[in-house]
Amino acid sequence: MAAAALCWALRAARKVLPSPCPGQVRSYYVDWRMLRDVKRRRLAYEYADERLRINALRKNTILPKELQEVADKEIAALPRDSCPSRIHNRCVLTSRPRGVRRRWRLSRIVFRHFADHGQVSGVQRAMW
Amino acid sequence: STSSVLSAEKDKSTSSKGSTAEGASKRQEGTAETPKQKLLDIIGNMKVEVSYRKKLQELKASENKKQDTNRLEGPDSEGPQRPAEGIQRGKPLNPELVKAASAVASSLPLNKKQTESELLAQLRRHEETTDKQKKGETINIRNVISEMTVKKQSPAQRGVRISSRISLELDDDGQRIRPERFSSQAFNSKRYFFFFFICRSLKVGKRLNIFTKASTEPEHALKTVSSPTIWDLEFAKEIAVITAQPPRNGFEEMIQWTKEGILWEFPIDNEVGMDDGAEFHEHIFLDKHLEGFPKDGPIRHFMELVICGLSKNPYLSVKQKIEHIEWFEKYFEEKKELLQE
């Protein structure tokens, strides 16, 4: 677990693994905010099972309340970034926090740029 | 000196043949004495300038003649010396030959022991080859060539081939010369005929015994290096870089993506990563995992609800469901002291 975390941290220090394909390769994340978001997503994935189970214990009417209080304390002790609600869907190319279309993961400006050049499949200028 | 050698060999052979007419027991010593003496005389008379190779050839010739005579005599007299023809490597050489080899080595100006051992090794190899030839195991080139037939190339094929070779050259403009396209039909039919011939000739004919079956060598498995060196890694990386050529067209690009997992395989299979081969009853009837829990109480109630929920979940594998239940088991074990109050 520690070794995996170390490897990931070394690799992801503002860097994306370059793929061997030709074409434009971006070797860094766009900005630090995007990197923090990436870290949050990774932690949320790792702690997802634990959070689910502890929440199942908490949101309960059957188990005694002492148990639920203990579970409350446990979930608060988990790292803050493991919470999935801290993830924010930013634009994948520009890291813009607002105006992001979820289906394409792109901000409105980038989406418009690609759609006008015909590089988004099935998207056409509306005219009616 | 070669003529004298040849004449001496002839004398030796005649003498040995003459000796076969004599009695069995005496034959052995008779043949042993005269050829050896003859050989020693030859060596003594010969000059040092005679090449190493010629000496070996003489020895081989003499040894062959000896073998012939011995075979004519029969296996009885050769019992102690040639116990079995099957033994290849461990066969003891004829002591006369050994003595002759030592005499040769002593006469040569080079390192004596080394030459002697080399001569003996050569003798052993010659014996092996002669045995093999007698048994008919070695490759007979005639058999190989008999199966081969010369195929006539049509001028069209030849032209295409030459032109395809030429096409690698570049024009002045830097564009490739394209080979002229012959009528594809005629070309294809001739090519198939050609291949048909080849296919026929491969299966027809007796075994040539050119290739020997590779014997299973478990030692090779042990010979593998424990850790690859840096040079090996670099070499492997180089090979990977060279072999991974960029795709020539869209199809190859899609193939590459499919192999990497970027593109789905068509027709689309909805259960690609999910099918772990477990039956439906393993997903639904999870009561058997509840054995570690107490029979009564709120915990049991809670776990039964958990199991009900898991059995209705189609997105988890059986392993994941069991992991959930086991986590709860461990959790409740830890909290037992707290629960006792």
Side-chain angles (χ1 to χ4, degrees), chain A residues 84-99:
Chain A
S85 48
R86 285 173 72 91
I87 295 171
H88 192 78
N89 293 326
R90 302 178 83 89
C91 171
V92 161
L93 293 180
T94 53
S95 178
R96 195 162 194 274
R98 294 190 167 100

Side-chain angles (χ1 to χ4, degrees), chain A residues 8-74:
Chain A
W8 189 89
L10 281 171
R11 257 192 279 136
R14 294 216 64 211
K15 214 170 115 80
V16 171
L17 271 182
S19 60
C21 71
Q24 195 183 32
V25 171
R26 295 175 175 79
S27 50
Y28 294 113
Y29 286 118
V30 178
D31 52 10
W32 291 92
R33 282 170 287 177
M34 188 190 241
L35 176 71
R36 293 201 305 257
D37 196 57
V38 168
K39 273 196 230 168
R40 283 183 203 122
R41 282 169 198 265
R42 187 184 61 87
L43 277 182
Y45 179 81
E46 281 181 15
Y47 286 94
D49 285 340
E50 275 188 53
R51 287 191 95 98
L52 175 73
R53 291 158 189 162
I54 297 173
N55 269 328
L57 290 167
R58 283 170 69 220
K59 311 286 179 182
N60 227 330
T61 47
I62 309 162
L63 294 175
K65 285 193 183 154
E66 295 84 14
L67 207 64
Q68 287 173 357
E69 279 158 28
V70 168
D72 281 341
K73 285 183 204 142
E74 276 193 10

Side-chain angles (χ1 to χ4, degrees), chain B residues 8 21 36 59 131 141 165 174 218 247 313 327:
Chain B
K36 176 194 167 190
L59 281 171
D131 281 343
I141 293 203
R165 256 177 263 147
N313 190 334
W327 185 90

